[in-house]
Amino acid sequence: MLWRWHFYAGLFCIPFIILLSITGSLYLFKPQIEAALDRPYTNLVMTGPSAPVSQQVQVALKHVEDSSFKSYRLPDGPKDAAQVLVTKGGEDTIVYVHPTSLEILKAIPREARLMAVVRTIHGELLMGDNGSLIVELAASWAIVMVVTGLYLWWPRTAEGLQGVLIPRLKSGPKVFWRDLHAVSGMWVSFFALFLLLTGLPWTNVWGKGFDMVLPRIGPKAGRLSAKRLNRPSLTTGMMRLIMSPMLTILPRVRGQPDWLHLSPSPRQTPEIPIGWRAPQLETASAASRLPLARQMAAKSAARPLATSM
Amino acid sequence: VIDQALGVGIAAHEGQLFGLLNQLLGVLTALGLVLLSVSAFVMWRKRAPDGVLGAPPPIPDQRIGVGLGLLIFVFALFLPVLGACLILVAIAERLILSRVPSLRQFLGLAQPAPL
């Protein structure tokens, strides 16, 4: 009977499993992919000292009409474009500003970035809450698939490891495909189950239900909401918390960018809070200023900065 | 503790918990799942006769034992969307799917119990 369940569930799950596997794999490499996508906006040609942050923000605000300021991301390096997050009518746009010339290098809606689109496919199949429900349903059934699959695979007649832990690839096509499925399934099951279970907090039904149950079982209740999980900031925050001991060992492993939240109102002049990585930024740019100033005179005339989008 | 476990789970799910190895594990798992899907599809197409879905044949008059029944109940509680789906499918099978002979044959369902 479990085989029948495994079969019907499989028919439904397979397309989603393939889609989620592909988008999930892409999204895993978000830091690397985004760094590669942002490479054109790093190592810029500098023509003097960086303009004050307030000016960079003003330029960004002017670029997207009637927008208000949301946050400013400190550049990773002194020659990187500043990323200013502005918002207008509920849509956030990231504006890349050249730190010295104040040129707008790029402006892209936050949700239109490649990785944001991949995340939306992975989480809701580009269909909003309905898609999220389908993903949750497929994930729930996939959990059943793993469990019933393991039960079906469970060796009842001991004949050694062949066909249980090691696939028999040379015993005819039927055995080949059966073993490929059963043996790889066994190896993958633990990790697949882990991903399926850890994915549940993102879902609407399970995630929201969990939020409601959490206050009753944990003292630090209700701080995590499923909706908030969709926003990178909380995830980033938690990741940093967890990873902080590791970060000291592996300085190159980084989570998502630091969005430095400055004044939320567009009227106020944003300022970098003193002490918040600002000294590091200062010294870095000061150090690179001297040799650059001379280089630039020659280069900037020959190669105008690319302005895309 | 739950917060922390959740945080670790989320970070690991996103491949951010322990660097490149975490990412590679994720990709390997995804590849494994694709392999499972493909091999499942091949096995199904090799086995399925033309014109029907090729579901495993139902075992006549098999009752669900207490243990399995409890297990299904726990799963349906833990995964509410699964539970709702089970109820919907059970109703659809009872009322429609197994009462239309061509559908029943295509899906490989058992003869319906009289209402």
Side-chain angles (χ1 to χ4, degrees):
Chain A
M1 190 184 79
L2 285 180
W3 185 31
R4 300 191 81 214
W5 282 47
H6 196 77
F7 173 82
Y8 290 117
L11 276 182
F12 166 71
C13 282
I14 282 176
F16 298 107
I17 288 175
I18 292 176
L19 185 68
L20 294 179
S21 296
I22 294 168
T23 52
S25 299
L26 273 177
Y27 197 72
L28 276 172
F29 291 93
K30 180 180 187 234
Q32 287 95 331
I33 293 173
E34 292 212 314
L37 289 175
D38 280 346
R39 193 151 300 144
Y41 313 106
T42 60
N43 246 325
L44 299 167
V45 177
M46 308 287 273
T47 52
S50 297
V53 173
S54 55
Q55 272 186 37
Q56 300 177 1
V57 171
Q58 290 305 327
V59 171
L61 285 171
K62 218 174 281 171
H63 184 74
V64 183
E65 264 178 50
D66 298 326
S67 63
S68 52
F69 171 71
K70 207 164 182 183
S71 64
Y72 176 87
R73 188 188 152 189
L74 281 175
D76 287 335
K79 290 198 275 176
D80 296 355
Q83 294 181 27
V84 184
L85 187 66
V86 299
T87 183
K88 178 188 172 184
E91 192 186 64
D92 294 351
T93 303
I94 300 169
V95 183
Y96 292 67
V97 182
H98 192 290
T100 60
S101 74
L102 293 177
E103 206 174 343
I104 305 294
L105 302 176
K106 182 186 179 180
I108 184 168
R110 196 140 112 139
E111 292 307 309
R113 288 174 308 161
L114 177 67
M115 283 297 109
V117 173
V118 169
R119 188 191 60 216
T120 321
I121 299 174
H122 191 77
E124 45 193 47
L125 311 171
L126 302 176
M127 291 193 290
D129 283 348
N130 292 337
S132 176
L133 192 67
I134 297 174
V135 171
E136 186 173 355
L137 183 62
S140 301
W141 273 112
I143 293 173
V144 175
M145 305 260 328
V146 174
V147 174
T148 53
L150 276 179
Y151 179 82
L152 292 170
W153 157 85
W154 205 266
R156 286 166 196 81
T157 49
E159 286 168 35
L161 299 179
Q162 296 275 321
V164 178
L165 297 177
I166 304 160
R168 295 159 292 180
L169 300 177
K170 285 175 186 161
S171 311
K174 204 169 174 177
V175 174
F176 173 87
W177 288 107
R178 182 265 170 204
D179 277 16
L180 208 57
H181 188 81
V183 175
S184 63
M186 186 279 309
W187 288 109
V188 162
S189 59
F190 172 78
F191 298 99
L193 212 51
F194 179 81
L195 286 182
L196 286 165
L197 290 172
T198 52
L200 287 174
W202 274 277
T203 59
N204 273 341
V205 177
W206 197 95
K208 278 188 187 142
F210 186 70
D211 278 352
M212 288 189 324
V213 174
L214 197 61
R216 281 159 219 198
I217 48 177
K220 291 183 195 171
R223 285 201 283 114
L224 303 160
S225 110
K227 274 292 161 198
R228 263 191 264 158
L229 280 176
N230 287 328
R231 284 201 231 135
S233 54
L234 181 82
T235 320
T236 315
M238 288 195 310
M239 261 152 41
R240 297 203 153 258
L241 201 71
I242 300 152
M243 286 171 61
S244 50
M246 263 179 248
L247 280 174
T248 51
I249 309 161
L250 299 164
R252 299 192 70 208
V253 181
R254 284 227 218 105
Q256 283 157 328
D258 309 291
W259 284 97
L260 176 59
H261 290 268
L262 300 169
S263 64
S265 146
R267 306 280 167 249
Q268 289 168 270
T269 315
E271 283 174 345
I272 298 184
I274 295 159
W276 174 261
R277 273 184 63 175
Q280 188 198 337
L281 187 76
E282 268 313 302
T283 50
S285 55
S288 57
R289 232 174 260 159
L290 270 175
L292 268 168
R294 231 174 292 139
Q295 286 178 27
M296 290 319 84
K299 263 192 189 169
S300 59
R303 192 168 65 92
L305 287 162
T307 318
S308 68
M309 288 166 68
Chain B
V1 180
I2 296 167
D3 272 9
Q4 274 178 344
L6 195 63
V8 170
I10 285 164
H13 187 101
E14 290 191 327
Q16 300 289 333
L17 189 61
F18 45 90
L20 192 64
L21 183 66
N22 194 171
Q23 292 175 315
L24 291 179
L25 265 181
V27 171
L28 229 61
T29 309
L31 280 177
L33 286 170
V34 172
L35 178 66
L36 280 174
S37 304
V38 171
S39 56
F41 185 83
V42 170
M43 280 195 294
W44 171 48
R45 287 327 305 167
K46 273 174 172 295
R47 184 173 48 81
D50 287 338
V52 293
L53 198 59
I59 301 159
D61 192 37
Q62 201 192 33
R63 282 159 208 277
I64 296 172
V66 180
L68 185 60
L70 206 68
L71 200 66
I72 294 170
F73 184 71
V74 168
F75 264 78
L77 268 191
F78 177 68
L79 302 166
V81 176
L82 175 77
C85 179
L86 280 177
I87 294 168
L88 281 179
V89 169
I91 292 173
E93 183 180 355
R94 274 284 155 85
L95 296 184
I96 308 162
L97 299 180
S98 60
R99 295 188 187 278
V100 181
S102 57
L103 265 181
R104 182 176 69 222
Q105 216 215 334
F106 177 74
L107 293 171
L109 301 174
Q111 282 281 346
L115 277 175

